[in-house]
Amino acid sequence: MQVIKCVFQPHGDNRGQLVALEEFKDIPFRIRRVYYMYETTEGVIRGFHAHKTLQQVVVCVHGSCKIRLDNGKEKTVITLDKPNEGLYIPNSFWREIFDFSPDAVLMVLASDLYDENDYIRNYDDYLEYLKKCDDTPLADNL
Ligand code: TYD
């Protein structure tokens, strides 16, 4: 599975580091929402969903965590442990986020506002959804 990691240029000097993220430049979509997770309880696995249309870039701005990405055919695990590195998650990818370090702060940049209708929260529904997408003639998607 092809995974797109974005490495952000830190603007470091003797005061420390600074990373700036701009839509369409560092982030491949218009940023319409930012949220972040912190103080994650030890052993918790978050996510367990896919999005029909939403695109995201996730950045572990402090600490570390792992993300399992699944496109219905292949799965891969990516470690996020650098504040200047992001993982691009296209729509239609199932994700599970785990192994949060106690100090982890996971920031998510999202291409749209929160919309529960965009979520697929059941794995069997997700596989059905992918099958339906595959079966849809291209012209019907236009
Ligand atoms: P949830 O979707 O359970 O998080 P995840 O699946 O990524 O582990 O979200 C937790 C709660 O936060 C839930 O009540 C919905 C709310 N929420 C918002 O209000 N806005 C948001 O942008 C997000 C991502 C969640």
Side-chain angles (χ1 to χ4, degrees):
M1 182 196 304
Q2 201 199 354
V3 167
I4 301 178
K5 265 194 176 183
C6 327
V7 178
F8 310 122
Q9 184 63 54
H11 303 278
D13 58 28
N14 55 14
R15 297 170 298 172
Q17 302 296 333
L18 185 155
V19 170
L21 303 176
E22 294 188 12
E23 56 191 8
F24 300 125
K25 191 172 146 200
D26 312 281
I27 305 298
F29 49 76
R30 179 180 170 203
I31 302 165
R32 296 205 68 205
R33 178 166 50 113
V34 177
Y35 63 93
Y36 44 92
M37 288 156 249
Y38 60 102
E39 294 180 1
T40 304
T41 306
E42 196 184 342
V44 153
I45 308 180
R46 301 201 65 131
F48 289 108
H49 64 254
H51 286 281
K52 296 173 195 163
T53 64
L54 193 77
Q55 302 171 71
Q56 297 176 317
V57 170
V58 290
V59 185
C60 197
V61 291
H62 196 259
S64 63
C65 65
K66 290 184 181 142
I67 302 191
R68 182 176 298 109
L69 280 187
D70 176 349
N71 62 8
K73 294 188 178 106
E74 290 174 89
K75 297 177 197 205
T76 188
V77 172
I78 299 107
T79 299
L80 287 178
D81 57 3
K82 295 182 187 69
N84 71 320
E85 197 171 83
L87 172 69
Y88 174 61
I89 308 182
N91 64 311
S92 299
F93 273 63
W94 186 265
R95 84 287 317 270
E96 294 167 13
I97 314 169
F98 59 104
D99 264 6
F100 285 87
S101 63
D103 57 350
V105 181
L106 184 65
M107 179 178 72
V108 183
L109 310 176
S111 63
D112 215 334
L113 305 180
Y114 179 73
D115 176 8
E116 189 56 38
N117 292 323
D118 193 61
Y119 280 76
I120 306 169
R121 292 193 182 271
N122 174 286
Y123 192 73
D124 290 336
D125 293 347
Y126 170 62
L127 296 179
E128 277 304 308
Y129 176 81
L130 290 180
K131 245 197 272 173
K132 256 190 257 161
C133 292
D134 282 351
D135 292 347
T136 308
L138 195 57
D140 290 357
N141 287 326
L142 299 176

